[in-house]
Amino acid sequence: MPGRIVKRSKSSWTVVVDLAPDPVTGRRRQLSRAVSGPKRNAEAKLVELLGERNAGIEHPRTRLTVAEYLDRWLADYVSTTLAPKTLESYDQIIHGHVVPALGSVSLPALQPQQVQGFYTDLLDHGRTDGHGALSRRTVLRYHQIIHAALRQAVRWQLLVRNPADAVEPPRAPRRELQVPDAADVRKIMTAADATDYGPLVRLAVLTGLRRGELLGLRWTDVDLDAAVLHVQQSAQRITGQGIVFRQPKTRLSRRAVALSPVAVGLLRQHRRAQIEARLFAGPAYQDQNLVFATGIGTPIEPGNLLRAWAKITAAAGVGHVRIHDLRHAHATLMLRQGIHPKIVSERLGHANIAITLDTYSHVVPGLQEAAAAQLDALLADPEASTAATS
């Protein structure tokens, strides 16, 4: 018989399928898979494996567990292709949640229902401190990571198919942006002017740069005479490594951003103040050519900036506004002023204009109404307009 089911326990089975002999040694080969649940699960797996055998599909042979594979994926793929901060985040999620739940499972034996059950557990009581569930948005993020990891296993020919393809991830509700309006932005800038972070906050509003891009900006990236800055690197704090500078993750993130006369004046004034601070600090100053630095020239700690930001927004009386919301405010204000979305997309460093339009869809309806009204005015019959008013 080409295949059989062996009962291991009340709800555990081993499915065994005979394969063609090894083409080199001539030795007998078998493929076995562990299956949990009722016997019909094992019967379905047997039919599936027999069908694949008859279709000539070769099953990868690996003894890796899910935990061992994920460690290899982090080391060989994530660490070489993604940002250090992304690696740190993936590592925390994988070793904090995925490995404790699925790590002991053999990689080839991983089943969609095991992954689905893992998501259900996270939605029920997924917090590592034991106090409650994880949000649907967070579990969706976990699914995206697991799916990407298993997709790479297929590419590396460790799996025939991706088990996460057959899993239904939770649907997260769309998060509406809470963007500060022009009045709130002015309050924030005024409050920031009373701190050391006034120039940074104002440049964030005027350029839409991300926090890491602002903290990584160097004077060699800024051409005040040409009124343009170039985003060439970003600053991040990585556990165990300190502040790390790296190139933006995409080609479009490495971009030129035109500076307004106000922004040029702001940076000229800030440069003069920084030179004075350097003279005051004397030998203690560590010049790293950063546009925004501490009083002795060292990189600004992101945590210190966030603590200062909390005080700035409290002083401004604007409620819960994140520093990243200044980027959203920049885009929204430009769109409302009639700036073409393509220009806004380029300034933000989005991969394409569709991301910009999708992110700021709350602005688009107003733009469409204005465009429709302008078209009406352009096509209006002057004689009919005169007759209507006479």
Side-chain angles (χ1 to χ4, degrees), residues 262-279:
V262 171
V264 170
L266 168 75
L267 286 171
R268 290 191 188 279
Q269 182 178 357
H270 175 62
R271 180 62 170 157
R272 289 193 292 268
Q274 196 176 66
I275 292 173
E276 292 176 1
R278 178 177 180 176
L279 294 174

Side-chain angles (χ1 to χ4, degrees), residues 102 112-125 139-140 142-147 164 167-170:
L102 302 172
Q113 61 264 33
Q114 292 173 296
V115 181
Q116 192 78 64
F118 171 55
Y119 296 163
T120 301
D121 289 340
L122 292 177
L123 291 170
D124 289 341
H125 44 76
V139 178
L140 177 59
Y142 286 19
H143 167 73
Q144 292 166 343
I145 294 172
I146 291 172
H147 189 277
V167 173
E168 189 68 32

Side-chain angles (χ1 to χ4, degrees), residues 123 135-140 170-177:
L123 291 170
S135 71
R136 300 175 72 84
R137 187 177 300 279
T138 299
V139 178
L140 177 59
R171 294 185 179 182
R174 182 180 178 87
R175 180 184 296 165
E176 294 296 332
L177 293 178

Side-chain angles (χ1 to χ4, degrees), residues 94-324:
I94 285 172
H95 290 104
H97 283 100
V98 182
V99 167
L102 302 172
S104 62
V105 179
S106 170
L107 179 63
L110 182 64
Q111 298 296 308
Q113 61 264 33
Q114 292 173 296
V115 181
Q116 192 78 64
F118 171 55
Y119 296 163
T120 301
D121 289 340
L122 292 177
L123 291 170
D124 289 341
H125 44 76
R127 289 174 60 97
T128 53
D129 59 9
H131 299 296
L134 293 180
S135 71
R136 300 175 72 84
R137 187 177 300 279
T138 299
V139 178
L140 177 59
R141 176 61 174 156
Y142 286 19
H143 167 73
Q144 292 166 343
I145 294 172
I146 291 172
H147 189 277
L150 297 177
R151 182 178 63 226
Q152 192 61 40
V154 174
R155 291 172 177 168
W156 284 345
Q157 300 181 14
L158 298 174
L159 289 176
V160 174
R161 62 175 57 86
N162 187 341
D165 282 341
V167 173
E168 189 68 32
R171 294 185 179 182
R174 182 180 178 87
R175 180 184 296 165
E176 294 296 332
L177 293 178
Q178 300 296 321
V179 182
D181 58 21
D184 284 344
V185 169
R186 284 192 289 268
K187 292 177 183 177
I188 290 170
M189 291 191 299
T190 299
D193 288 340
T195 73
D196 294 334
Y197 297 100
L200 184 150
V201 169
R202 286 185 175 271
L203 193 69
V205 173
L206 294 170
T207 61
L209 264 62
R210 301 175 178 90
R211 181 186 68 183
E213 293 169 346
L214 289 162
L215 296 182
L217 188 65
R218 300 162 297 190
W219 285 112
T220 50
D221 302 326
V222 180
D223 187 338
L224 294 178
D225 292 330
V228 64
L229 65 79
H230 298 271
V231 178
Q232 301 285 358
Q233 67 174 16
S234 179
Q236 298 175 332
R237 166 160 280 285
I238 306 298
T239 302
Q241 300 182 45
I243 301 294
V244 174
F245 297 96
R246 71 180 305 273
Q247 286 188 348
K249 57 184 180 181
T250 67
R251 176 182 59 83
L252 292 175
S253 291
R254 298 188 293 274
R255 63 197 186 277
V257 179
L259 297 172
S260 68
V262 171
V264 170
L266 168 75
L267 286 171
R268 290 191 188 279
Q269 182 178 357
H270 175 62
R271 180 62 170 157
R272 289 193 292 268
Q274 196 176 66
I275 292 173
E276 292 176 1
R278 178 177 180 176
L279 294 174
F280 180 80
Y285 197 86
Q286 303 174 39
D287 190 5
Q288 298 188 32
N289 198 36
L290 295 171
V291 174
F292 300 110
T294 66
I296 57 171
T298 54
I300 294 173
E301 286 284 350
N304 292 342
L305 174 58
L306 291 180
R307 282 186 284 273
W309 176 255
K311 295 178 181 178
I312 289 170
T313 53
V318 296
H320 180 67
V321 176
R322 306 169 304 165
I323 193 168
H324 191 75

